[in-house]
Amino acid sequence: MERRVVDKNAVKRSAERSTRASAKLEGRVVPKEFVRSAKVEQFVAARTRRAS
């Protein structure tokens, strides 16, 4: 499969849609104004780096 360059904003929008869909399936709601804590941001960053 050929590599493609994907815009970071497109990835962010996709993750947001996925999060909303998952929350809806689980019967919970993620408010638009929700902000992750610094600790969670560090965790996500560490997971992202590891996956690369």
Side-chain angles (χ1 to χ4, degrees):
M1 184 180 258
E2 194 174 315
R3 279 188 163 258
R4 297 182 189 196
V5 176
V6 180
D7 182 38
K8 286 184 179 184
N9 289 327
V11 173
K12 187 174 180 179
R13 286 191 311 271
S14 174
E16 185 176 339
R17 280 193 310 269
S18 176
T19 301
R20 288 184 192 281
S22 179
K24 187 174 181 180
L25 286 172
E26 295 173 1
R28 56 186 176 83
V29 177
V30 178
K32 284 191 174 199
E33 65 276 358
F34 178 78
V35 178
R36 290 179 177 153
S37 69
K39 191 171 184 177
V40 171
E41 286 291 347
Q42 289 174 349
F43 173 77
V44 171
R47 298 284 295 183
T48 303
R49 275 187 248 124
R50 202 176 311 145
S52 300

